[in-house]
Each structure stands twice: as structure tokens, then as C-alpha cells.
Amino acid sequence: MSQTDTMADPLDIMGRLLTPGGKQNPYPLYEEMRAHGSLVDIGGAHLFATGYTECARALREPDLLSTDGAVQDGKMPGWREHASWRWLTKNMLFSNEPDHERLRRFFGSAFSARSVANWRPMVDRLADDAVQHVAELGADGRPVDLVPEFSFRFATAVIGELLGIPEKDQAGMRGIIGDITTALDPIGDLAELEPGDAAMEQLAEYFYDLVAQRRAAPGPDLTSAFVRARDTGGELTEEDLVANLMLLLVAAAEAPQDLLSNMVRLALEHPEHADRLREDPRSVAGFVDETLRFEPAVQALNRVAARDMWYFGVRVAEGTPVTLIIGAGNRDPRRFTDPGVFDPARPDNQPLTFSAGAHYCLGAALARMSAETVVPQLLRRFPELTLAEQPTFRDQLVQRGHDRLPVTTA
């Protein structure tokens, strides 16, 4: 019997990845998929990329399209009845040219290197607040769940202040954002989109109101600047503006929340690295990179072939879905030595987690600066920080992150 005969079927592997157990720890299943190759062709109907090189090139390949409205028409009949995907396909992440370039140009200048550098005092102040909040909650040895009380609170405070979202509104965004991201997971029934639909409608209503407020009484926030630019230039519709404001909030709250939680958990699981973060500020950038590689918040991205093409020797027909398993690509042994080992000193570490090419994450520099600031500060403030119980992950595959991360501070 050959090795191929003993390997699990790729469709069976994907089925197990979508179970609660698979979502809690998908990495062994990625290795089962990788055993079929760096590109896994499911009878010409679907292509899965598990290799670093294959994922990296796909992120830059203009003939592999993001899931915009036209693509969804071919993939998910009936999607237009669901608010989650109606709004998703209006933002830059789920757009192709020429819409993507138009939206990216409009919003991108606000996240320039100079802008991010100017935000450092704000990030420092909010990091102080976040760590002090943990100190108050953890007094007398009480456990603190760092997901809502530190990671989400800090990430949302940063993007909330930038967008002019009042502090009193920020905590209530967690459930809304969580429901929206469930729409990104593979589904078997469109009814599974209902929580995301309701959440998206609620968030859209919130941003329509915020836009109206800033139009009437502009402030120093980005929302006011975007409203002014939209009204002056006429480059965007009101829907374009609201859809992409929602994207900025969701993307800058959810993925950075997961990065922060992952950094803290990995530091606590590797005390020698936690000590290095406390003592040597130069070590933090490598720790962030390795966290992004080892435990990426975004585990998979979807593309669709715009034309008949050959991709690394595999024939791909127009319209074929191509799933880039970023979590597998980041652990490709052809690219990384000992990929299953967490090593913040890893040389030439270039994870795929922030994407690449035209869709490279707009907020990557801000997310890095925020993580490099607040996590070492938390570890220095609480040298005895320990896990109070085993952390758990959300019941999601594509947007992977902790559901709970309980700790004690002393």
C-alpha cells in the first residue's frame, strides 16, 4: 500500500477543520493537508494552497480575485439577501480593480508612516490605561480575562479614538464585531449568516449616525476627515464611506485583539521569552513577527481564478475557488526551519499574516506599534502574571483568536 493510499482525503481533512476540535487546533490538520502537496487540487473544483511560496505569489497575483460581488454571484447564490455579504462586498478588502484602487487610495493616505508615528503618544497613553485597568481588576488575586479586558479593550480604544467613536460605545462593539466575523467562515446553509447579518445592519446604522454627526460638527478624528474628503471630492458614495469605516473598525479591533492575546499567551508559555521582552526592547519586533507566523489571526484567505491559468504546474479553470491556508504557509518547512517551534529570534522571518501586494494590511504598522508597546508593558507591570486556566479559542476557523484568556496578576 502506498503512502497516498493511507493519507486522509483532503475533503475529509477540510470537514474536520470545520469541527469545534479542528478550530481549537487546526495545525495538525494543515500538516495532513500538506502531505498531499503545496497545492491540493480537488478534482478541478477547488484548489488549496498550503505552501509559503504558493500563498505568497497568490497574494500578489492579479488574476486571482478577491470575493467581490461578481465573484460571490458565482460562489454563493442568494448572498444578496444577506446584509453581512452585501456590506462586505462594498469594502476594499473584498474589492477588485478598479474599485479596490479607488477605495485604497481614498483611505490609505490616513495610515501613512508619518501618521502612525504621530499616533505614538496616543498609543502610549492608551497602553497605560489598559494595563492600569488590568491592575484594578486583578487586585487581591482575582482572575482577569484578558480578551475583553485587555486585548479587545486596548485595540478598540486605539481605533475608536482615531475614528472618533466615543469610549462609552466601544465595549458594546465586541459582540457585534464577533458576529460579523462569523460570516467569513465556510458555511453549509445561508441561514448561518443571520447573526452576521443582524450585526452588520446594527453597525451600519451606527456609522450612518456617526457620519451625520461629524458632518454637522467635525472633529479632529479620521471620520471627520473622511466625510470632508468624500463630500468635497465626490469619489465615494455614502455607502462606500460607511462600508469602509466599518471595515476599519472591525479589522483594527479583531485581528489586533488576537495578536495581543496570542503574544501574551505565548510569552506565558515561554517564560524565557517573556523575560527577554521585559528586559530588552530590541527583542519585541522579533516576538511580534514570530507570533504573526506561529499563530496568525487570519488563517485563510479566498481567491477565485479570473481566467484559465496554470499555477505552479496546476491547471486552474476560470471561476475556480483558491483557498490560501495562511496558517499552513506560515509553517511551511521548505521556508522555515523547525516551523513548529516558537522562536522569536528566527532569522528572515516574513509571515504572510498581513497579506501582501495590493491587499497588504492598511493598518499593519499601527498594529505592530500597538503590540510592541502594550504587551511588554503588561509583562513588566506584572512579573508574576500566570494563566489562571487553560485558554480557549473561538469557534471560528478563518478569523482565529482566543475566546477566553484568564490570568492572575500576582
Side-chain angles (χ1 to χ4, degrees):
M1 181 179 293
S2 69
Q3 180 183 356
T4 303
D5 293 331
T6 62
M7 291 191 300
D9 180 80
L11 289 178
D12 172 67
I13 297 169
M14 285 306 303
R16 285 185 284 143
L17 275 168
L18 296 175
T19 65
K23 293 173 184 177
Q24 287 294 306
N25 183 17
Y27 300 107
L29 293 171
Y30 293 160
E31 295 311 310
E32 288 191 43
M33 183 71 82
R34 194 195 310 283
H36 290 271
S38 54
L39 285 175
V40 184
D41 183 9
I42 311 297
H46 203 127
L47 191 67
F48 294 95
T50 65
Y52 180 94
T53 300
E54 290 75 13
C55 288
R57 177 173 155 187
L59 293 171
R60 296 174 171 85
E61 174 54 65
D63 286 325
L64 290 177
L65 303 177
S66 292
T67 310
D68 64 7
V71 168
Q72 274 293 62
D73 285 337
K75 287 179 57 181
M76 188 187 289
W79 70 272
R80 293 180 187 273
E81 303 301 315
H82 293 270
S84 52
W85 273 102
R86 284 202 309 273
W87 279 109
L88 286 171
T89 53
K90 296 179 189 299
N91 75 45
M92 70 185 91
L93 184 62
F94 294 93
S95 297
N96 296 296
E97 304 310 341
D99 289 333
H100 176 263
E101 195 277 334
R102 172 176 60 88
L103 296 170
R104 178 90 179 197
R105 182 178 63 248
F106 183 91
F107 291 97
S109 60
F111 292 86
S112 67
R114 176 177 293 183
S115 294
V116 173
N118 289 337
W119 294 335
R120 180 172 291 281
M122 175 200 68
V123 170
D124 289 342
R125 170 173 51 82
L126 294 175
D128 289 342
D129 293 345
V131 173
Q132 179 60 28
H133 181 70
V134 173
E136 293 169 0
L137 292 180
D140 302 323
R142 289 171 292 177
V144 180
D145 184 354
L146 291 185
V147 178
E149 303 296 352
F150 172 73
S151 303
F152 181 82
R153 180 187 175 92
F154 173 70
T156 309
V158 172
I159 190 61
E161 184 155 328
L162 290 175
L163 293 179
I165 297 173
E167 185 178 350
K168 64 180 178 61
D169 296 341
Q170 293 172 14
M173 297 288 184
R174 184 173 181 234
I176 296 172
I177 292 171
D179 284 345
I180 286 172
T181 61
T182 63
L184 304 179
D185 261 18
I187 60 172
D189 184 341
L190 287 177
E192 296 174 47
L193 293 174
E194 290 176 1
D197 293 342
M200 194 71 90
E201 293 281 33
Q202 187 176 353
L203 192 59
E205 182 179 354
Y206 181 88
F207 272 107
Y208 270 121
D209 288 344
L210 185 64
V211 164
Q213 293 169 24
R214 294 299 180 268
R215 184 171 280 130
D221 53 85
L222 291 182
T223 298
S224 296
F226 291 144
V227 168
R228 184 165 53 250
R230 172 260 181 281
D231 291 350
T232 302
E235 201 174 357
L236 269 63
T237 66
E238 195 85 346
E239 278 193 335
D240 289 337
L241 179 62
V242 168
N244 285 280
L245 287 171
M246 289 196 288
L247 170 65
L248 292 178
L249 172 65
V250 173
E254 191 79 342
Q257 165 195 258
D258 297 334
L259 172 59
L260 299 179
S261 295
N262 288 334
M263 286 180 67
V264 174
R265 175 179 61 82
L266 289 166
L268 297 181
E269 291 176 350
H270 300 84
E272 70 282 12
H273 297 316
D275 289 341
R276 195 167 296 118
L277 282 179
R278 293 183 180 102
E279 298 164 5
D280 183 6
R282 296 170 300 179
S283 70
V284 67
F287 195 99
V288 171
D289 282 336
E290 182 67 346
T291 302
L292 290 167
R293 183 197 71 83
F294 189 80
E295 190 71 276
V298 178
Q299 292 279 309
L301 293 169
N302 291 311
R303 297 289 187 263
V304 170
R307 59 175 178 82
D308 292 349
M309 59 191 297
W310 287 95
Y311 196 71
F312 288 93
V314 175
R315 177 71 169 170
V316 184
E318 179 181 350
T320 301
V322 181
T323 297
L324 318 178
I325 307 180
I326 302 300
N330 279 349
R331 296 193 182 200
D332 186 346
R334 299 176 305 166
R335 174 62 177 80
F336 300 103
T337 302
D338 296 325
V341 174
F342 181 74
D343 178 13
R346 185 180 297 278
D348 189 29
N349 195 358
Q350 299 178 36
L352 301 170
T353 308
F354 283 136
S355 191
H359 285 276
Y360 183 75
C361 177
L362 200 62
L366 176 61
R368 285 181 182 277
M369 182 176 74
S370 298
E372 290 175 6
T373 300
V374 75
V375 172
Q377 186 169 335
L378 180 79
L379 295 173
R380 285 192 296 270
R381 177 74 177 269
F382 307 112
E384 303 301 321
L385 192 72
T386 56
L387 292 171
E389 58 185 79
Q390 188 65 27
T392 57
F393 286 86
R394 297 191 300 271
D395 187 32
Q396 292 176 240
L397 177 63
V398 172
Q399 188 74 40
R400 174 174 165 81
H402 286 90
D403 176 50
R404 299 186 70 247
L405 184 61
V407 300
T408 54
T409 57

